[in-house]
């Protein structure tokens, strides 16, 4: 039994174990390494193999992978990141690959097959029974981020005529091969979903009760096979289920999605949001350190180049007001303050709105409410910042009242504009079907920069009486 | 049965239903409203009540809440946001409150009690049996973001001498009152956790098998009652469990945490990260629209004021180089480009690193690897941007080679600095125990602005031969 200790200590222990195993492998003490590695559970073994692959390369990884008991090796394989799975498949024989693929849970198998080159998939499917091949092909055809791509056909399907005893016997018989036994699905004659029943109610009910009496046939929740995974995740979050049935357009049951697959989706979607909000265009699940330098650069350059162009425009605008700037050069020193603040207030608003829409707190129809709220917030914030700066420019910088007023009034306008931009851009994007997360930092900063500098220069020209 | 239809249509249908119910309530057709409302499940009823509360106020909400069947009303209550729960408690009698609190699942009860004013809690606890009162007080004392605050004592605890049949009989007896029956926990004499056993294996095993034979007593996963909820969430994500046992320092079982409570934590933590990265200091779970204007302003002002100060410093720096700027005023027009790009490349790097650390892909000990990777990425990106700008400044702007060179070389330095800052600041923060998410956009933008303008002015002075 693992001794009770704090998370940190556990982690450290695990790191030490991993290092020892790598050392053993490096010294070719394979059997000792195997013995050490088998002290861990499958999830942890997968992590150890990741480290082995990174530090010692694929050959040693294959050696130790082949030494694992067959059942263990299949489960470990299912926990490896896709890149590592492909590396291992590349290094083992076709026969071994076929064995692993066959033994994987159905949804894990689909995930692997989706990533494999077509010729290897064909080779594997050749040896699969016709019925299963058909099912696999159907699954492979669902869009990558749809409910269909997350589901598994390994569920307990009950017939509507069964009693609780019959249902429990069926679970006893096939329960070991299904993803979950805790919710069972009652199907009618044409495979239509008629209701769901929990193992809990099967157990606590009298064994002669017909399952139709205890099943939920009215307000159970399900998703359509083409629903987007983000919507599926929202459904799970809202109801807190362990599994949700997936139906096609005729309400036929085609599979189920379990909560463990959804937790990954919740995290992936949050990561995607965060990356997009920061102007990183990454459509893979590759971990930071596993991604190559050029791939990293390619993910980040599109927004940077876009920004370069808009920042150049801001430069042009400033050049157009050269007259103002050269007459009152001190204005330049407040430029970073005004442009920076505009971008920051916009980014704050955008993040709140984007996140609110992501988790379902906000809808596009709330646009007016948001606009009204952000307007009032911007007045409060704008006033605080304007007064603060006005006082500071006069008392500390010793500038004239007109200069201080120019900056203060510009600040108020820029904060209001930034907040409105930051709140409306994401909502507008969602309305026309673009991911709102794209309307975050880079986009807002660049638009705000252009508008801020124009406003500032115009206000300066008016207040300081400079003819343009 | 809900007819099969797309998510969007379902949502629209639900909104229409909600509006009809609100209309009925507004016209005092209470019984019709009740009839309509009871067509929905408890989660949806809670959403409808939220709308009623927002649109019609607390009095009508209380009326319809009281008309719900008692069981339904308790469950609906558990799905309401904390603010709405408090509003309802405020509007009903103490007796009704005590009833609801008593009937809630234990972990939901703790959540509500934590938010209630102390005098109401005392009143409720007065009527609670002594043993339960003690348990409640223990639970109320765990830190708000610890495993202890997420757990529930409603689990199936088996004794190590039981057979599968005895275990199943116990589940049949008490299974309706527990959070989950799908994993059972085997306890020794002093309440120490000896192993876990799944309902699945209890069912598929022979009924005379002792549970100690089929339980997992070696590599099951558990958390300590004082572990942080973020670590607990990482554990769930890693292993994909439905429930995890919580033990104290003597390995005594004190409760379990179920996956539905963890999904909320995963989402909350991502939201907190995103808000902090954008410079919003919000420590509540209040939804965007439910939060007041001044609260919004207060959450956003600290970073804005901090930024104001650093942006002022940037202004001072520019003033110090007034000589350079006034001699070659065209340099001002490239200032936004250089400062903006520095902030952007830093923000990109910081987001990737912060997220990587949040989801456990990166550790502080990876600092050198990250530094090396970001340095190479910054060279690639810096070169692309420098060459692009150099060409553009000469060909399109028609400026001299020395001006173009000034901007290009500054760009290269600023990109490298931005990337290093964006990657090292979050790692450094984590190392000294500060939330890395605080080291995102505002912090990076402000430091980068100061360094960018200094570098740019110095390089300009050297290249253009201006004496400072």
């Amino acid at each position: 039994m693992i001794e009770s200790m704090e998370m940190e200590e556990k982690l450290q222990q695990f790191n030490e174990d991993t290092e020892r195993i790598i050392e053993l492998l490096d010294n070719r003490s394979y059997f000792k390494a195997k013995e050490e590695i088998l002290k861990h559970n499958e999830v942890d073994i997968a992590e150890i193999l990741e480290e082995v692959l990174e530090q010692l390369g694929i050959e040693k990884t294959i050696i130790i992978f082949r030494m694992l008991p067959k059942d263990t090796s299949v489960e470990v394989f299912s926990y490896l990141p896709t890149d590592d799975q492909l590396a291992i498949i590349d290094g083992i024989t076709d026969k071994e690959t076929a064995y692993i693929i066959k033994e994987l849970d159905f949804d894990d198998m689909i995930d692997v097959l989706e990533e494999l080159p077509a010729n290897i998939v064909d080779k594997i499917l050749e040896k699969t029974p016709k019925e299963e091949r058909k099912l696999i092909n159907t699954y492979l055809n669902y869009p990558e981020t749809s409910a269909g791509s997350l589901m598994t056909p390994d569920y307990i399907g009950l017939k509507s005529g069964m009693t609780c005893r019959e249902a429990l016997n069926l679970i006893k018989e096939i329960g070991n091969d299904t993803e979950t036994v805790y919710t069972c699905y009652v199907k009618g004659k044409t495979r239509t979903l008629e209701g769901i029943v929990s193992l809990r109610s099967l157990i606590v009910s009298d064994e002669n009760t017909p399952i139709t009496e205890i099943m939920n046939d009215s307000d159970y929740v399900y998703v359509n096979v083409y629903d987007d995974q983000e919507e599926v995740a929202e459904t799970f979050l809202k109801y807190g289920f362990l599994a949700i049935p997936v139906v096609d357009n005729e309400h036929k049951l085609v599979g189920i999605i379990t909560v463990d697959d959804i937790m990954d989706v919740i995290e992936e979607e949050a990561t995607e949001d965060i990356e997009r909000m920061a102007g990183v265009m990454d459509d893979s699940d590759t971990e930071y350190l596993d991604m190559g330098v050029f791939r990293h650069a390619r993910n980040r350059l599109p927004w940077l180049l876009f920004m370069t162009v808009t920042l150049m425009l801001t430069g042009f605008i400033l050049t157009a007001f050269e007259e103002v700037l050269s007459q009152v050069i001190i204005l330049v020193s407040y430029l970073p303050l005004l442009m920076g603040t505009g971008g920051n207030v916009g980014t704050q608003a955008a993040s709140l709105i984007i996140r609110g829409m992501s988790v379902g707190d906000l809808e596009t129809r709330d646009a007016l409410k948001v606009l009204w709220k952000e307007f009032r917030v911007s007045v409060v914030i704008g006033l605080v910042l304007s007064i603060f700066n006005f006082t500071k420019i006069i008392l500390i910088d010793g500038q004239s009242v007109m200069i201080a007023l120019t900056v203060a009034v510009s600040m108020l306008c820029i904060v209001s504009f930034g907040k409105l931009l930051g709140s409306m851009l994401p909502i507008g994007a969602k309305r026309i079907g673009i991911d709102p997360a794209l309307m975050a930092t880079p986009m807002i900063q660049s638009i705000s920069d252009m508008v801020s500098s124009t406003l500032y220069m115009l206000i300066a020209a008016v207040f300081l009486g400079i003819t343009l």
Side-chain angles (χ1 to χ4, degrees), chain A residues 310 313-315 317-318 321 335 338-339 342-343 410 413-418 421 443-459:
Chain A
T310 62
L313 290 177
T314 308
I317 292 170
L318 289 177
F321 289 99
L335 194 59
L338 291 167
M339 295 205 321
S410 301
C413 298
I414 286 169
V415 169
S416 302
F417 177 79
L421 183 75
M443 182 64 116
I444 283 164
Q445 186 85 46
S446 58
I447 298 181
S448 154
D449 277 356
M450 281 191 277
V451 177
S452 299
S453 41
T454 313
L455 281 173
Y456 180 41
M457 290 296 106
L458 283 176
I459 292 171

Side-chain angles (χ1 to χ4, degrees), chain A residues 70-322:
Chain A
K70 279 205 156 183
D71 284 4
T72 313
S73 74
V74 171
E75 208 174 338
V76 166
F77 183 87
S78 76
Y79 292 121
L80 286 170
T82 311
D83 289 352
D84 297 1
Q85 287 177 338
L86 295 184
I88 286 181
I89 286 183
D90 228 33
I92 58 180
T93 65
D94 286 358
K95 209 177 136 196
E96 286 170 311
T97 305
Y99 175 80
I100 290 176
I101 301 280
K102 209 174 96 278
E103 291 295 311
L104 283 171
D105 282 345
F106 193 89
D107 53 345
D108 291 332
M109 171 178 69
I110 295 294
D111 287 345
V112 176
L113 288 180
E114 273 173 347
E115 298 298 330
L116 286 179
N119 59 331
I120 301 188
V121 174
D122 287 346
K123 228 188 257 170
I124 292 167
L125 287 186
E126 264 172 34
K127 291 166 198 151
T128 320
K130 201 182 158 195
E131 266 310 296
E132 202 185 332
R133 200 162 64 217
K134 221 173 113 190
L135 190 62
I136 292 174
N137 274 319
T138 316
Y139 268 66
L140 284 174
N141 280 329
Y142 289 116
E144 213 190 323
T145 58
S146 69
S149 77
L150 290 170
M151 69 186 182
T152 169
D154 296 330
Y155 56 84
I156 306 264
L158 303 175
K159 291 199 190 105
S160 50
M162 285 179 164
T163 63
C164 286
R165 188 185 325 118
E166 288 167 330
L168 284 172
N169 284 338
L170 181 70
I171 295 172
K172 213 161 174 153
E173 199 180 304
I174 64 168
N176 259 335
D177 298 322
T178 58
E179 265 307 281
T180 178
V181 297
Y182 305 128
T183 312
C184 307
Y185 304 88
V186 185
K187 294 195 280 193
K189 274 184 191 142
T190 53
R191 282 181 37 231
T192 47
L193 178 60
E194 307 220 316
I196 65 172
V197 59
S198 68
L199 178 54
R200 178 198 295 234
S201 39
L202 287 177
I203 287 185
V204 299
S205 301
D206 183 85
E207 55 181 13
N208 292 316
T209 318
I211 55 172
T212 41
E213 261 180 39
I214 56 167
M215 76 180 182
N216 175 355
D217 62 356
S218 57
D219 60 1
Y220 60 88
V221 174
Y222 59 87
V223 294
N224 186 284
V225 70
Y226 288 107
D227 283 341
D228 189 76
Q229 62 175 9
E230 208 167 341
E231 288 167 14
V232 178
E234 273 179 39
T235 310
F236 266 93
L237 275 168
K238 185 172 162 194
Y239 295 99
F241 290 139
L242 303 182
I244 287 186
V246 184
V247 299
D248 66 11
N249 293 328
E250 289 157 343
H251 209 71
K252 285 184 182 160
L253 183 63
V254 288
I256 63 165
I257 298 176
T258 51
V259 68
D260 51 321
D261 296 316
I262 278 301
M263 283 199 293
D264 295 334
V265 172
I266 295 174
E267 205 174 65
E268 273 169 37
E269 295 285 340
T271 301
E272 194 184 276
D273 271 8
I274 289 176
E275 291 184 355
R276 290 193 172 176
M277 286 165 79
V280 179
M281 300 276 80
D282 179 16
D283 53 2
S284 76
D285 302 339
T286 316
E287 288 185 13
Y288 174 86
L289 285 176
D290 296 339
M291 193 182 280
V293 168
F294 284 97
R295 183 69 185 273
H296 267 298
R298 212 186 59 200
N299 287 339
R300 305 182 200 181
L301 269 169
W303 267 119
L304 290 174
L305 285 169
F306 168 84
M307 295 280 300
T308 302
V309 173
T310 62
L311 286 166
M312 281 173 179
L313 290 177
T314 308
F316 276 130
I317 292 170
L318 289 177
T319 321
F321 289 99
E322 208 180 309

